[in-house]
């Protein structure tokens, strides 16, 4: 029960401060779409697709960390898929 309450508090804290941390940037649409596609594929049926998507996401994060972090946090908070959440 303590762990559950702690996790809820962490989620509430992150959601409260996220507008200040993740200011809207004018990122290029293709990079934004590519990150979204990689995140969507983290819950794929095939292991290879999940692995590829995670590797691409990490690679994109080397140059566009703000975009990847913002999209990953949004997906993590909105996802109920344990595999995708673990990979995020």
């Amino acid at each position: 029960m303590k762990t559950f309450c702690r996790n809820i508090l962490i989620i509430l804290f992150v959601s409260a401060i996220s507008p200040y941390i993740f200011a809207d940037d004018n990122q290029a649409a293709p990079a934004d779409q590519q990150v979204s596609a990689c995140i969507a594929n983290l819950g794929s049926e095939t292991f290879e697709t999940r692995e590829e998507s995670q590797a691409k996401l990490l690679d994109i994060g080397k140059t566009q960390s703000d975009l990847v972090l913002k999209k990953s946090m949004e997906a993590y908070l909105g996802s109920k898929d344990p595999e995708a959440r673990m990979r995020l």
Side-chain angles (χ1 to χ4, degrees), residues 2 5-6 9 13-15 20 26-27 31 43 45 52 57 59-61 64 68 71 78 82:
K2 288 181 183 180
C5 291
R6 184 177 53 122
L9 288 174
F13 177 75
V14 170
S15 64
Y20 302 106
N26 290 332
Q27 299 289 338
E45 294 284 327
E52 272 182 25
L57 202 55
D59 194 42
I60 295 168
Q64 298 181 354
V68 172
K71 291 287 189 181

Side-chain angles (χ1 to χ4, degrees), residues 43-88:
S44 174
E45 294 284 327
T46 61
F47 178 77
E48 292 81 17
T49 303
R50 294 190 306 262
E51 286 287 306
E52 272 182 25
S53 296
Q54 187 175 14
K56 285 180 188 175
L57 202 55
L58 290 170
D59 194 42
I60 295 168
K62 292 177 184 175
T63 58
Q64 298 181 354
S65 60
D66 292 339
L67 175 64
V68 172
L69 184 60
K70 178 182 175 185
K71 291 287 189 181
S72 295
M73 191 60 146
E74 290 171 358
Y76 182 85
L77 293 174
S79 177
K80 294 182 185 196
D81 181 9
E83 174 77 16
R85 288 185 73 143
M86 187 267 313
R87 290 179 179 274
L88 288 168

